[in-house]
Amino acid sequence: MPTNILIVDDEPAIADTLAYALRTEGFEPRCLGLGRDALNALRDGEFALVILDIGLPDINGFDVCRELRRISDIPVIFLTARSDEVDRIVGLELGADDYVPKPFSPREVVSRVRAILRRSRPVVHSASAVRSMFSVDRDGARIAYFGVWLPLTRYELGMLAILLEKPGRVFSRARLMEMVWNDAAETLDRTVDAHVKTLRAKLRAVRPDMDPIETHRGLGYSIRIEAP
């Protein structure tokens, strides 16, 4: 079954070149030139990854990614003519998986696509291992760790539940704040870090030899898919 890749770029030469490179490697690419069309396609279709240009004519790629992250955790690779470090950081904080400045080698982009899909693939196989450690009681709004119900605050519970939905998936601080603290008047990056610290302490109280929450410097947090 082919792996569907969505290319969102309003420059036909770039989109066609990428599509050709992906197709020769066994992928099934689809090209769109507008951000709104891309969001509609992502809501309706099945794609494994999005290659997303920042400089789109209707809405910029950052806004597309921000909207996409409300409905999906599909991997995103940004394409951009800009190379400013601030843009790179903004893109990663929005939940992008990689960032490729123009001009680029189509073969390099295909290689990055493969690498990201390889990283995301083991998540499915790790689900049983994670379930053996954690038990989520949604009706009771509680989570057990190795059979022990954790004394979690509202925000610790929300954050851990989100991380457990996608073991191995890196959630940026911005994404966690948006999903967990969406009704808070004011939130900061260090709010997430502080709650991760207290959450880790409660997990260590049950199993001092393990640390299931992995820190990805400059990116965010994930639940480990392998023992540390």
Side-chain angles (χ1 to χ4, degrees):
M1 184 174 180
T3 302
N4 298 326
I5 307 293
L6 181 61
I7 302 168
V8 189
D9 196 307
D10 65 319
E11 297 183 56
I14 291 176
D16 291 346
T17 299
L18 273 177
Y20 177 79
L22 287 164
R23 198 172 287 113
T24 57
E25 293 294 323
F27 295 101
E28 188 61 41
R30 178 182 175 187
C31 300
L32 293 172
L34 296 176
R36 291 297 178 196
D37 290 345
L39 287 170
N40 289 333
L42 288 162
R43 289 188 184 98
D44 299 334
E46 291 293 329
F47 295 95
L49 182 143
V50 184
I51 300 174
L52 177 61
D53 185 31
I54 290 178
L56 297 172
D58 56 343
I59 55 176
N60 68 51
F62 289 149
D63 290 335
V64 173
C65 187
R66 185 179 291 108
E67 187 68 24
L68 174 61
R69 282 292 171 256
R70 297 179 186 275
I71 60 172
S72 173
D73 289 313
I74 182 174
V76 174
I77 297 178
F78 272 130
L79 298 179
T80 180
R82 302 185 250 181
S83 59
D84 191 285
E85 183 180 3
V86 173
D87 289 335
R88 181 185 295 267
I89 292 171
V90 169
L92 293 174
E93 282 295 321
L94 286 174
D97 296 80
D98 208 343
Y99 196 105
V100 181
K102 299 177 182 179
F104 53 80
S105 161
R107 291 180 63 185
E108 178 189 353
V109 176
V110 173
S111 177
R112 294 190 185 211
V113 168
R114 286 195 180 281
I116 290 171
L117 292 178
R118 276 198 304 269
R119 289 202 302 268
S120 61
R121 209 167 281 138
V123 170
V124 174
H125 303 296
S126 68
S128 60
V130 172
R131 281 197 297 270
S132 70
M133 296 176 4
F134 291 94
S135 176
V136 181
D137 177 9
R138 297 189 181 279
D139 292 336
R142 58 181 183 165
I143 296 175
Y145 182 50
F146 286 101
V148 178
W149 294 111
L150 298 168
L152 302 176
T153 66
R154 169 190 172 188
Y155 294 121
E156 290 168 351
L157 176 69
M159 186 164 57
L160 183 56
I162 288 168
L163 293 173
L164 287 171
E165 286 179 2
K166 299 281 186 177
R169 173 75 182 179
V170 180
F171 288 85
S172 69
R173 291 171 178 82
R175 179 67 173 147
L176 288 169
M177 285 192 291
E178 181 181 338
M179 296 177 73
V180 180
W181 282 267
N182 57 356
D183 60 345
E186 189 174 326
T187 54
L188 300 169
D189 281 359
R190 61 176 174 268
T191 301
V192 175
D193 296 339
H195 280 76
V196 168
K197 183 178 180 180
T198 59
L199 182 53
R200 276 182 165 140
K202 292 176 181 180
L203 294 170
R204 280 196 299 269
V206 178
R207 284 292 299 265
D209 58 321
M210 298 187 69
D211 182 10
I213 300 177
E214 185 170 5
T215 300
H216 301 264
R217 191 174 299 277
L219 297 177
Y221 297 99
S222 70
I223 290 292
R224 295 180 187 273
I225 58 175
E226 296 178 356

